[in-house]
Amino acid sequence: MLPAAVFGFNSTASEQPPPYTLDMGRAFAACLNTDRPDGLFATVIVDEYKVALGLAYSSVESIAETFKTGQGVYQSRSRGGLWVKGLTSGATQRVFRVDADCDRDAIQFVVHQADPGFCHLNTRTCFGADTGLTALEATLRSRKANAPAGSYTSRLFNDATLLHAKIVEEAQELCDATDKEEIAWEAADLIYFALVKAVAHGVSLADIEAHLEKRAAKVTRRRGDAKPGAIKPAVATPATAPTTGPHAAPTPVAVTAKLPIQLKVHNDSSLDEGTLKNLLHRPILNLADISARVGPIVADVKQRGDAALVDFTAKFDKVNLTHGTVLRAPFPRALIAEVQPTVAAAIDVAFANIATFHRAQAASGTLSVETMPGVVCSRFSRPIDRVGLYVPGGTAILPSTTMMLGVPAMVAGCREIVVASPPRKDGTPVPEVVYVADKIGASAIVLAGGAQAVAAMAYGTESVPKVDKIVGPGNQYVTAAKMQLQNDTEAMISIDMPAGPSELLVIADNNSNPAYVVSDLLSQAEHGIDSQVILVAIAPTPQFLASIQTELSAQGEALPRSDIVRVSISKSYILAVDTRERALAFSNQYAPEHLILHIDEPESVLKDITNAGSVFVGPWSPESCGDYASGTNHTLPTYGYARMYSGVNTDTFLKHITAQTLTRDGLDLLGDTVTTLAEIEGLEAHRNAVAIRLRDIRAGKADNAKVK
């Protein structure tokens, strides 16, 4: 399927498509018919191997959106509106082809389905667990990513000589096999090791099947001769494969067209109030719907404790916690030893910088002020006793988040630090997370993620310690769980902030380096399909905008997570403004999590920034440095919450206690003010608590006066 964007005559993204651009999705839908009262079309979703993943329903609008974005978009019958597959779970779909059936009342989507799969139960299909070659391919991908160093599985993927020997061995055994069962057995062995080699080199079953399809479709074929050396004596063959004729080498398979990685461009001077308001909105989902899904998870963990945690981890993460739900300190040295020396050294440098900056934030001593003679007010800080640090996991390894949360908790002096992070497939924690947890003095690591881990720390379970405050970023389910639990008086927790999907805003002028600007945009766009990045360009020239789009395509297509970038960029944009002042005003309205200044004399505008999570000043201050090692914290408010929240800092892990000390003369001086205000509010006990003392003070003064 070709994305609709390639059919217009306009070669660059613009605010409004030209009137002669063909809407391919609606054109396709116009050829369909349906007798359903709701006007929907039954939609069968299959993968590249034509394995049925499930059934959904499409509308004209959802079909148009699929053609526009190249992503699987369907019509939700239960919630209404469009359903973008993978928007919350990350299990995205890239649509390769759309077909209508013979009656044109049903359609088929051919998609590439990202893990964990199409089904809401986190299976690849809605018809149960995956089987056959596709299941084997998924297993091998998992083994490649998680095989312990030095294991046989790891050696298979990394030792080309060993794998070569195994393939040759299995091929020979297949050649020697004679009966049906033996041939099947040996063929399975050969296919297994052939797939190991394919996965090791990034070759998918789809790539293999594409070549098989070409062979099946050929009218003329290559000669069936074996290669020299396979049969003795050797048969003479040409030194090089001819480029044409019946013996030509196979033609490379054409790559399916994808949606271009390009940003829409809006001109600030031509925007009406409604459009501007929409640009300030994040691509957020139905939070009520997310909360409704999170509620039962939280309730189940509250009721069943560890058993629920084990069940949800098996369901959502496909991990069996056979060795328990919590790893307690002291942590196994063998796990820590898995961290590569270069990685450990990098963590140590970042750890030191973060600690230095956060120690500088700590209050020094007690604040004491005499507000009037004899009335002294003071304030002092104390660490929160027990804190839970949520460290997201999934496909990423995040020692940086463990540091960003753990170092300020350590500096603040919290007595008990509990880390929660999804485990690896074997049920053990990520070694880099363990390494940092050990450095910060954590008492436990909860081997779970998602709303279930947040609930376990909030309520406490048989093995998970209860905490007083939960901090850390996460997806929208984690955020919803945190917000629900802070309002539950039984949980009795506080949270740091509503920290949702990542976002970034760049202010750039024509003197900035387009390559640097784009690299910063993409550094956040790759976080997830619900991320958003914005470039506010000051009086941009056509050449500057063209350079930005060129760099976006070149850098974005080269990224391993380009499919994620493709979706998040489709929800992002460039806003062209006339002046620096207007750029700053828009940024303050948007209140970004990250703000990068690619402008001349960037330090001069810091005084004008009122809403931002963290600011990166100048071309040599990439956002990545703040994410990892400069010293500032990368857990920051998103969704516009930078208007009223700060990022995580040392004070996040402290509570401030005030005290007041009044002398006899101080109360005599202040007392009438207090009794008057208490009387106005009708709080007689408040008034009396002061009045009873004032009578004694003033009676004593009168007695002293008589004596004199």
Side-chain angles (χ1 to χ4, degrees):
M1 187 183 80
L2 297 176
V6 306
F7 286 96
F9 297 104
N10 190 14
S11 61
T12 60
S14 63
E15 185 177 340
Q16 296 293 334
Y20 42 81
T21 297
L22 179 62
D23 189 326
M24 293 299 297
R26 293 184 183 275
F28 176 83
C31 300
L32 305 176
N33 60 77
T34 177
D35 57 3
R36 290 177 56 91
D38 56 12
L40 301 182
F41 307 98
T43 305
V44 178
I45 298 96
V46 302
D47 64 11
E48 304 97 318
Y49 322 113
K50 298 301 176 71
V51 173
L53 302 179
L55 177 71
Y57 291 87
S58 297
S59 63
V60 173
E61 289 73 20
S62 69
I63 293 171
E65 190 67 16
T66 292
F67 273 75
K68 176 183 175 184
T69 64
Q71 300 294 312
V73 183
Y74 308 98
Q75 186 71 36
S76 173
R77 295 182 300 159
S78 60
R79 300 188 296 273
L82 300 185
W83 163 42
V84 182
K85 175 58 184 168
L87 191 59
T88 56
S89 65
T92 56
Q93 286 180 350
R94 189 167 75 243
V95 180
F96 290 104
R97 184 182 179 92
V98 178
D99 291 298
D101 74 343
C102 57
D103 294 325
R104 295 192 173 275
D105 59 357
I107 57 178
Q108 174 182 268
F109 280 19
V110 182
V111 306
H112 171 74
Q113 176 64 58
D115 291 335
F118 178 75
C119 184
H120 69 283
L121 298 178
N122 283 335
T123 56
R124 190 162 179 275
T125 83
C126 289
F127 307 107
D130 202 7
T131 59
L133 288 176
T134 55
L136 176 59
E137 182 186 32
T139 299
L140 290 175
R141 285 203 309 266
S142 174
R143 289 178 179 176
K144 179 186 177 185
N146 300 299
S151 66
Y152 174 69
T153 301
S154 177
R155 289 175 58 211
L156 271 181
F157 283 109
N158 296 291
D159 186 339
T161 302
L162 172 64
L163 183 56
H164 176 86
K166 291 299 298 181
I167 292 174
V168 171
E169 173 190 328
E170 299 302 338
Q172 185 60 54
E173 290 179 356
L174 175 60
C175 291
D176 295 341
T178 55
D179 64 64
K180 179 179 178 180
E181 182 62 30
E182 186 183 10
I183 291 172
W185 179 275
E186 299 301 343
D189 279 348
L190 181 58
I191 290 171
Y192 176 87
F193 288 107
L195 270 181
V196 169
K197 178 154 189 174
V199 170
H201 291 80
V203 176
S204 69
L205 274 175
D207 298 328
I208 297 170
E209 289 198 357
H211 282 278
L212 290 174
E213 289 287 342
K214 286 186 67 66
R215 285 161 174 72
K218 277 185 176 291
V219 176
T220 56
R221 306 188 185 281
R222 296 177 297 176
R223 291 170 56 187
D225 298 340
K227 289 185 177 181
I231 300 176
K232 303 297 183 181
V235 179
T237 56
T240 58
T243 57
T244 59
H247 309 308
T251 304
V253 178
V255 178
T256 304
K258 301 177 181 178
L259 184 71
I261 300 179
Q262 299 281 275
L263 282 167
K264 297 182 290 291
V265 181
H266 298 276
N267 194 315
D268 181 58
S269 62
S270 63
L271 296 180
D272 58 40
E273 186 175 342
T275 304
L276 179 60
K277 184 177 180 180
N278 289 334
L279 291 180
L280 292 169
H281 288 169
R282 272 62 169 182
I284 58 178
L285 300 180
N286 187 334
L287 295 180
D289 180 53
I290 293 173
S291 295
R293 298 183 192 182
V294 165
I297 297 173
V298 169
D300 198 19
V301 173
K302 178 181 179 181
Q303 180 178 357
R304 296 198 298 127
D306 281 352
L309 203 59
V310 169
D311 290 347
F312 284 125
T313 302
K315 177 179 179 179
F316 296 132
D317 298 318
K318 304 301 180 188
V319 176
N320 294 317
L321 296 176
T322 54
H323 302 298
T325 56
V326 173
L327 184 67
R328 292 192 173 273
F331 304 121
R333 294 295 105 184
L335 265 178
I336 295 175
E338 289 187 37
V339 180
Q340 296 295 322
T342 53
V343 175
I347 289 174
D348 291 344
V349 171
F351 192 98
N353 286 350
I354 297 165
T356 297
F357 185 65
H358 286 77
R359 284 195 184 100
Q361 299 171 22
S364 55
T366 299
L367 171 69
S368 183
V369 177
E370 186 176 49
T371 58
M372 63 191 305
V375 180
V376 176
C377 298
S378 60
R379 190 184 82 156
F380 49 90
S381 61
R382 295 290 183 268
I384 296 172
D385 196 35
R386 304 168 300 178
V387 295
L389 317 181
Y390 183 80
V391 178
T395 58
I397 298 172
L398 295 174
S400 59
T401 299
T402 318
M403 286 190 285
M404 295 296 175
L405 304 175
V407 170
M410 175 192 73
V411 169
C414 298
R415 179 180 64 83
E416 184 169 20
I417 301 174
V418 178
V419 176
S421 189
R424 297 185 290 184
K425 293 301 181 183
D426 62 358
T428 62
V430 174
E432 291 80 1
V433 170
V434 180
Y435 182 84
V436 177
D438 185 62
K439 287 176 72 72
I440 63 175
S443 61
I445 301 175
V446 181
L447 304 174
Q452 60 270 24
V454 175
M457 291 191 291
Y459 294 119
T461 69
E462 302 93 318
S463 63
V464 179
K466 177 181 168 32
V467 300
D468 302 311
K469 186 171 188 175
I470 297 176
V471 302
N475 62 21
Q476 298 181 35
Y477 293 93
V478 170
T479 300
K482 287 168 63 179
M483 296 178 74
Q484 280 187 25
L485 287 160
Q486 75 169 341
N487 294 320
D488 185 340
T489 55
E490 190 169 339
M492 281 290 289
I493 63 157
S494 68
I495 66 172
D496 49 351
M497 72 190 86
S502 189
E503 60 192 36
L504 176 143
L505 187 147
V506 175
I507 299 177
D509 57 26
N510 291 312
N511 294 327
S512 61
N513 185 326
Y516 291 2
V517 171
V518 167
S519 69
D520 287 334
L521 293 169
L522 293 175
S523 71
Q524 292 306 295
E526 74 170 353
H527 267 295
I529 62 173
D530 48 4
S531 298
Q532 186 177 47
V533 296
I534 297 170
L535 170 59
V536 180
I538 302 172
T541 64
Q543 294 79 9
F544 177 78
L545 291 178
S547 296
I548 291 292
Q549 302 286 22
T550 299
E551 285 290 341
L552 267 172
S553 180
Q555 294 188 36
E557 295 290 357
L559 293 173
R561 297 166 71 92
S562 61
D563 283 347
I564 291 175
V565 167
R566 208 176 304 280
V567 181
S568 59
I569 286 293
S570 71
K571 302 168 187 173
S572 305
Y573 57 87
I574 298 172
L575 178 65
V577 300
D578 292 333
T579 65
R580 176 181 292 199
E581 290 72 25
R582 175 56 188 149
L584 291 166
F586 180 85
S587 176
N588 285 329
Q589 285 180 283
Y590 184 83
E593 177 190 16
H594 306 95
L595 171 61
I596 302 183
L597 302 175
H598 279 287
I599 56 177
D600 293 336
E601 299 180 357
E603 296 88 351
S604 66
V605 303
L606 288 176
K607 66 182 186 307
D608 300 314
I609 296 169
T610 56
N611 297 320
S614 190
V615 185
F616 300 82
V617 185
W620 309 115
S621 306
E623 187 277 334
S624 307
C625 289
D627 265 357
Y628 291 108
S630 65
T632 59
N633 208 288
H634 79 200
T635 306
L636 303 166
T638 62
Y639 279 170
Y641 282 108
R643 295 185 186 92
M644 69 289 290
Y645 281 93
S646 303
V648 165
N649 56 77
T650 303
D651 279 352
T652 302
F653 299 93
L654 296 172
K655 54 183 182 288
H656 297 282
I657 302 170
T658 59
Q660 44 272 306
T661 304
L662 279 69
T663 64
R664 180 188 181 97
D665 290 340
L667 181 57
D668 188 27
L669 186 61
L670 183 61
D672 291 332
T673 298
V674 176
T675 57
T676 299
L677 294 173
E679 189 173 350
I680 290 173
E681 294 188 353
L683 298 175
E684 176 57 24
H686 281 66
R687 189 201 67 80
N688 186 60
V690 175
I692 195 171
R693 289 171 169 82
L694 289 178
R695 284 197 298 270
D696 289 345
I697 292 171
R698 290 167 184 175
K701 283 187 176 181
D703 290 342
N704 291 336
K706 289 178 182 178
V707 171
K708 293 179 181 177

